[in-house]
Amino acid sequence: MLKRKDLLGLKDITAEEMEEILSTAVQMRKILDQNVKKTPHLQGKSVTTLFYENSTRTRTSFETAAKIMGANTTSISAQTSSVTKGETLIDTGKNLDALLTDVIIMRHSMSGAPHLLAKNVKASVINAGDGMNEHPTQALLDIYTMKEKFGDIKGLKVVIAGDVKHSRVARSNIWGLRKLGAEVTVCAPKTLLPAGIEETDVSVSTDLDDCIAGANVVMGLRLQLERQQAGLFPSAAEYNAYYGLNAARLDKADGDAILMHPGPVNRGLEIGSDIADCEQSYILRQVTNGVAVRMAVLFLLTRAKQQ
Ligand code: CP
């Protein structure tokens, strides 16, 4: 049974803990499919989203999940909070404790910020993306979506293609997928591969046409122009020509392959509009599954704290 106070990454979580979250998410997905808009799972709990970076999916998904389960929700954006007056992250967290928050869901541009917060507050902390480090609930919803389609993660051939260097989604997926036995290949130009990737337990390729052959899952990544200096690739057109996902490339994957992307999508850059909305695209299914997975995480963490 999940016994942790916080969920900060998939690097420090066991396969058994992941399986518990994923199986609980199956029950939560059933609740969503029955269009139930209120459950008592988080009755009497307070959930705060504390976002120092922009978000559409993650923040809305957590807030939807918390509201469905009956929690009181509060939303804080760095731009409109006392952070702009110089308040530190730890002081902000201690004030949220004083306001009797049970769970703080935080996104921050600095890798490790949620870990610092978690050490200094009584509330459970969920990492909703920290810099280039991890985005654990995104990877859990990705893995949930793969499991829903294929039944088992073990032996699944997953290609993660694009801006791996700047991607917290890629890092969390690598940790999670490898722990569950998937065969993971990351593919990017050399300049968009993180240092030391060869030492991790994944295959590395710079040739998308080659590594996509026979893949069960093709996961595109957003080109994170806001996190990188100029000169990592010659031009958007050239990047699209060599690393853009399109119908011709998707055809090389396994006949039953699915296309995934964490969003937001840069159409015409890392993914073509011809396939972003095709039948093989699970991009919007990932978003709905994200609510179920976040319901599971919120429920299990708050239950663990009560025990
Ligand atoms: N996938 C994801 O993290 O999207 P948002 O930035 O919109 O939350």
Side-chain angles (χ1 to χ4, degrees), residues 72-280:
N72 297 319
T73 59
T74 308
S75 173
I76 303 173
S77 295
Q79 296 91 328
T80 53
S81 73
S82 288
V83 168
T84 58
K85 300 175 197 164
E87 188 166 60
T88 66
L89 175 59
I90 292 173
D91 281 337
T92 302
K94 286 189 184 300
N95 278 273
L96 292 178
D97 265 350
L99 288 163
L100 308 179
T101 297
D102 296 290
V103 184
I104 303 171
I105 297 153
M106 189 176 77
R107 172 170 288 187
H108 203 287
S109 58
M110 297 287 291
S111 296
H115 304 68
L116 178 68
L117 183 68
K119 277 196 194 124
N120 286 282
V121 295
K122 292 193 203 90
S124 290
V125 175
I126 301 175
N127 180 3
D130 63 324
M132 298 191 288
N133 182 38
E134 283 223 44
H135 191 349
T137 58
Q138 176 67 45
L140 284 167
L141 76 88
D142 294 338
I143 293 168
Y144 178 94
T145 305
M146 295 177 211
K147 219 170 148 63
E148 182 182 55
K149 164 75 179 171
F150 296 106
D152 199 0
I153 297 298
K154 198 171 165 59
L156 216 56
K157 290 185 172 55
V158 181
V159 172
I160 303 176
D163 186 357
V164 182
K165 183 184 176 86
H166 301 101
S167 179
R168 53 199 179 202
V169 175
R171 272 177 196 76
S172 285
N173 265 293
I174 290 169
W175 287 118
L177 285 166
R178 286 299 301 128
K179 282 180 189 179
L180 296 180
E183 292 172 25
V184 181
T185 301
V186 295
C187 179
K190 275 203 171 124
T191 50
L192 291 179
L193 285 168
I197 188 73
E198 298 80 7
E199 289 143 37
T200 64
D201 196 14
V202 298
S203 303
V204 181
S205 171
T206 54
D207 186 338
L208 184 55
D209 291 297
D210 177 56
C211 71
I212 207 168
N216 304 110
V217 177
V218 180
M219 183 186 295
L221 296 174
R222 183 172 69 87
L223 194 54
Q224 298 194 35
L225 297 168
E226 76 279 17
R227 288 194 211 276
Q228 59 189 260
Q229 71 273 32
L232 293 183
F233 53 91
S235 70
E238 192 153 336
Y239 182 83
N240 178 256
Y242 286 95
Y243 293 98
L245 292 169
N246 54 35
R249 290 203 164 111
L250 194 55
D251 270 351
K252 295 182 182 173
D254 185 74
D256 201 26
I258 61 171
L259 173 69
M260 301 177 73
H261 192 299
V265 164
N266 286 314
R267 286 174 187 257
L269 190 50
E270 75 261 359
I271 192 164
S273 264
D274 56 338
I275 55 163
D277 312 301
C278 75
E279 258 189 32
Q280 278 172 279

Side-chain angles (χ1 to χ4, degrees), residues 1-7 17 20-21 41-42 45 102-103 122 124 296-307:
M1 189 187 287
L2 202 77
K3 288 206 175 104
R4 55 181 58 242
K5 167 180 164 282
D6 311 296
L7 178 64
E17 286 176 297
E20 187 181 0
I21 294 169
H41 293 90
L42 293 187
K45 301 289 178 200
D102 296 290
V103 184
K122 292 193 203 90
S124 290
V297 169
L298 284 167
F299 170 63
L300 293 172
L301 287 185
T302 49
R303 190 185 66 175
K305 262 179 86 180
Q306 279 164 357
Q307 280 155 0

